[in-house]
Amino acid sequence: MKPVTTDRVAPITNAIAIDKPYDTINKICANLTPHAQYVELDNNDNVPLYFNEQDYCYLLLEGNVALIRQQDDLIVGWETAPFIFGLSNAHPFSPLTLSASENARLLCLPRQKAFELFSQLQLWESLTTVLVYISDRIFQHCKRVSQVTAYQTVRFLLLEFMQESPQVRERIPALYYIQRRCHLSRSGIMGILARLQKGKYITIHRGRLQALIRLPKRI
């Protein structure tokens, strides 16, 4: 059986693939950018979505950003440019921050200002399209955290990992990617990856996921 290389996403990952509305997101970013300010990113500091008693929207124009849950430092979301963070006002009740990659380019503006612009520029239809995509991503996260066994969690995250670009998969070790997105132990994840490698279901070289051949329902 021909392996799935890092340059090609196989049908096995289609079950969790979500179509991202790139054109719509780019349209919103283009309209909001003149009203936003660039964010200085130093020393990989986390960027708050809520501060000074108000919510902020962030426009991700380049790079990658992880959405971090502060209380346990768990990655609950991950997006590659383009994207818009902060469209919900739930952050005071469930504190979240953004952790950007070194090459990330972020702009921000108050959420209230962003919504005023949605009205002025008649962007509500575009906003709805993006919110539907965000809802799908949240549902995907719920499916991930509701997996019954440790293997099912790792399996889901490996499939999710294959949706990332080859550059991301080359830069981030598979173990780190999985561990930052669940509460499984390092040794438990390593054991599952080792068994999959031994069974020739996956290929990992120097910690990087090189190929995903197939993943059994259980091991």
Side-chain angles (χ1 to χ4, degrees):
M1 183 178 295
K2 186 177 180 179
V4 180
T5 68
T6 55
D7 295 322
R8 176 175 173 269
V9 177
I12 191 172
T13 62
N14 289 344
I16 65 168
I18 298 174
D19 291 332
K20 186 173 181 177
Y22 286 95
D23 291 343
T24 303
I25 296 173
N26 280 324
K27 177 182 176 181
I28 293 177
C29 288
N31 280 277
L32 297 187
T33 293
H35 308 274
Q37 295 182 336
Y38 285 99
V39 178
E40 296 289 340
L41 299 172
D42 295 322
N43 300 322
N44 294 321
D45 288 338
N46 286 355
V47 180
L49 284 163
Y50 180 85
F51 61 94
N52 293 335
E53 298 186 350
Q54 66 176 329
D55 295 287
Y56 281 82
C57 286
Y58 289 86
L59 314 178
L60 176 62
L61 304 184
E62 297 177 8
N64 308 290
V65 163
L67 191 62
I68 309 292
R69 193 167 62 190
Q70 292 186 61
Q71 60 264 37
D72 54 9
D73 202 35
L74 190 74
I75 293 178
V76 297
W78 170 275
E79 285 292 344
T80 299
F83 193 66
I84 307 165
F85 292 93
L87 294 175
S88 168
N89 63 349
H91 311 305
F93 307 101
S94 180
L96 301 170
T97 60
L98 303 180
S99 178
S101 61
E102 292 181 0
N103 64 332
R105 185 179 173 214
L106 275 176
L107 287 78
C108 77
L109 72 164
R111 193 175 67 90
Q112 182 176 348
K113 176 63 176 178
F115 274 67
E116 290 173 358
L117 291 168
F118 288 139
S119 292
Q120 295 172 15
L121 303 174
Q122 299 182 347
L123 293 171
W124 289 113
E125 184 176 352
S126 298
L127 174 62
T128 300
T129 299
V130 175
L131 289 175
V132 169
Y133 169 75
I134 293 173
S135 295
D136 289 341
R137 292 282 281 168
I138 292 173
F139 179 68
Q140 185 182 61
H141 171 72
C142 292
K143 286 175 61 179
R144 178 210 307 169
V145 299
S146 64
Q147 300 301 310
V148 176
T149 68
Y151 171 68
Q152 288 175 334
T153 299
V154 172
R155 182 181 187 274
F156 188 93
L157 286 168
L158 283 172
L159 293 173
E160 185 179 87
F161 197 19
M162 286 302 297
Q163 295 296 314
E164 302 293 349
S165 68
Q167 293 78 14
V168 170
R169 295 195 298 271
E170 181 62 29
R171 181 166 54 86
I172 301 177
L175 174 62
Y176 179 85
Y177 183 92
I178 294 169
Q179 191 174 19
R180 287 301 310 275
R181 288 160 174 79
C182 66
H183 289 294
L184 299 178
S185 68
R186 177 185 177 89
S187 59
I189 298 170
M190 290 179 65
I192 292 171
L193 293 178
R195 291 172 67 183
L196 289 172
Q197 177 98 324
K198 183 177 180 180
K200 298 184 179 180
Y201 297 113
I202 63 174
T203 300
I204 293 180
H205 179 65
R206 294 183 178 178
R208 272 60 177 180
L209 181 63
Q210 298 294 313
L212 189 158
I213 301 168
R214 70 181 181 89
L215 294 177
K217 292 292 184 180
R218 58 183 62 85
I219 58 173

